[in-house]
Amino acid sequence: MLGGIVFFLTEFITAAAWSHPAYSYTYNFISNLGVRGPSHLFGQYMISPLAWVMNLGFVSFGILLGLGVLLLPHLGHTHRWVLSVLALVLGFGGILVGVFHGSGEALVDGTGMYHSFGAFMAFISGNVISILLGRSDMPVSHKTKMLLVVLGIIGVIATVGYTAALILAPDNHPIIIIGLIERGAVYPFLIGLMAAGYSLLKVNPVSQN
């Protein structure tokens, strides 16, 4: 739950600090929030006064979600092994995104590759984790498990769409809703894992542990 809260909160705070022009959740890449700037990439202007907040959020959300999955109770041996690997991938992906920024300069010096690699590590592992948890023996309601599966599938489809939009973009100018598509790859697994955490708290209240 904390991983999702940290991501959404740092994203909101960092986006609100933008001005001239204002940050757009539908047009701008999420990565733009972590670029102090000024910089340009893929036809987008980046200048984030609180870039350090978003980069801290990237690193923190990856570590928190990874740890949360590693500590989940009541998982079968196979699920435990696979989910543990995916949790480590998710955590490492968040760290890469926060440490290596997605700026125009990063594309030139080669570090942008690590940023992109980390982002796709998080997209894919996060959504697959959501699907697998929905199919696991985790002690949550059937509705929560169905939600995890549906959100994970939506996230995977959005990740494919996001990749296609980048590859097919004319002259490196992605479509005007590229930010919305990217969020379609990220938000589903964040919401799913937050819902799973909340459902687990209802089953096992902290006061009883």
Side-chain angles (χ1 to χ4, degrees):
M1 289 178 65
L2 280 175
I5 291 171
V6 164
F7 184 94
F8 286 124
L9 186 60
T10 54
E11 180 187 39
F12 176 79
I13 292 172
T14 311
W18 276 51
S19 60
H20 309 302
Y23 182 84
S24 170
Y25 273 65
T26 57
Y27 173 68
N28 290 111
F29 291 100
I30 299 174
S31 301
N32 293 7
L33 294 170
V35 178
R36 181 66 181 86
S39 184
H40 289 84
L41 184 63
F42 297 131
Q44 295 194 7
Y45 178 67
M46 293 168 278
I47 181 165
S48 182
L50 294 180
W52 67 270
V53 174
M54 191 69 251
N55 289 319
L56 180 62
F58 285 143
V59 173
S60 299
F61 109 94
I63 293 174
L64 287 169
L65 287 182
L67 284 176
V69 174
L70 287 172
L71 295 174
L72 281 174
H74 308 300
L75 297 175
H77 176 72
T78 302
H79 273 99
R80 169 72 64 189
W81 184 84
V82 175
L83 284 167
S84 295
V85 172
L86 290 172
L88 293 174
V89 172
L90 176 56
F92 188 56
I95 293 172
L96 285 178
V97 171
V99 173
F100 299 100
H101 310 149
S103 64
E105 292 73 21
L107 185 66
V108 174
D109 65 26
T111 58
M113 174 184 66
Y114 302 113
H115 178 89
S116 298
F117 188 53
F120 279 98
M121 286 171 66
F123 295 167
I124 296 170
S125 62
N127 286 302
V128 174
I129 285 173
S130 184
I131 294 171
L132 290 179
L133 286 179
R135 305 280 295 176
S136 73
D137 296 326
M138 187 171 59
V140 297
S141 68
H142 177 69
K143 288 184 178 180
T144 300
K145 289 186 177 182
M146 287 297 297
L147 179 66
L148 283 164
V149 173
V150 171
L151 287 174
I153 292 173
I154 292 173
V156 170
I157 293 173
T159 300
V160 173
Y162 176 70
T163 305
L166 291 179
I167 293 174
L168 300 176
D171 299 323
N172 290 325
H173 282 69
I175 60 177
I176 59 174
I177 60 168
I178 191 65
L180 184 62
I181 298 173
E182 184 181 23
R183 285 173 169 82
V186 179
Y187 285 8
F189 75 81
L190 290 176
I191 294 170
L193 294 181
M194 289 174 70
Y198 177 73
S199 188
L200 281 170
L201 281 180
K202 290 174 63 178
V203 174
N204 300 292
V206 175
S207 60
Q208 295 180 11
N209 291 336

